[in-house]
Amino acid sequence: MISQKAKYALRALVSLARVEPGTSVMIGEISRAQSIPKKFLEQILLELKRAGFVASRRGRSGGYVLLKAPEDIMFGEVLRLIDGPIAPLPCLSKIAYRKCADCQDEASCEIRHVFERVTLATRAVLDSTTLADSLRLQDLPV
């Protein structure tokens, strides 16, 4: 399950992806449109700014703007930035691997084998789905 912070980060980025490229959006607009508490959104946007996803502008036409095209921002990279590794078990993490304390042998662990398939499928979707894709997907029937 993703954190509320990650969900808000993705919703903020999708909001910015909806506007004309290079157009800045005030934090209050994003907060109202996406029902994200403004103070929490400020922290999230600061983290996204440090990571190079957004920039802030001051002044009359101030606000936040995407630094990358929506086609170049993958869901997976945003989730990893906010929540860390995409792995339901520590023994499946690429960047934070840790042997499970109660595991005798990873090679024969039935639970690990099932969740490895889930993890690989999840990563494949998240690492190939962009903000632009998410905007197109909302128009498709479920």
Side-chain angles (χ1 to χ4, degrees):
M1 181 165 28
I2 70 170
S3 69
Q4 190 65 42
K5 183 178 180 182
K7 192 173 177 183
Y8 284 163
L10 288 166
R11 285 173 39 190
L13 290 169
V14 167
S15 260
L16 293 170
R18 283 191 175 111
V19 300
E20 195 68 33
T23 304
S24 57
V25 181
M26 299 295 286
I27 193 167
E29 288 179 54
I30 299 169
S31 172
R32 281 188 300 282
Q34 296 296 326
S35 301
I36 303 171
K38 190 175 176 182
K39 285 289 183 192
F40 196 24
L41 181 58
E42 287 172 356
Q43 295 169 10
I44 292 167
L45 287 170
L46 185 59
E47 199 166 336
L48 292 171
K49 181 179 173 181
R50 285 186 192 124
F53 289 101
V54 300
S56 60
R57 294 182 179 162
R58 294 177 176 247
R60 188 175 202 128
S61 61
Y64 283 86
V65 62
L66 285 180
L67 285 177
K68 299 179 178 182
E71 296 80 15
D72 296 331
I73 300 175
M74 303 291 173
F75 269 57
E77 65 181 328
V78 176
L79 286 176
R80 284 183 188 91
L81 170 70
I82 303 297
D83 282 352
I86 299 172
L89 299 171
C91 63
L92 293 172
S93 176
K94 287 182 179 180
I95 58 174
Y97 170 85
R98 192 175 81 248
K99 187 177 185 318
C100 295
D102 57 346
C103 185
Q104 299 299 316
D105 178 31
E106 285 180 6
S108 63
C109 178
E110 299 85 356
I111 295 168
R112 184 180 198 276
H113 289 299
V114 171
F115 279 97
E116 182 174 31
R117 292 178 57 212
V118 170
T119 302
L120 292 173
T122 300
R123 285 181 188 148
V125 171
L126 294 172
D127 290 337
S128 65
T129 303
T130 66
L131 293 182
D133 293 331
S134 72
L135 295 175
R136 286 190 292 272
L137 289 172
Q138 77 179 14
D139 298 329
L140 298 176
V142 179

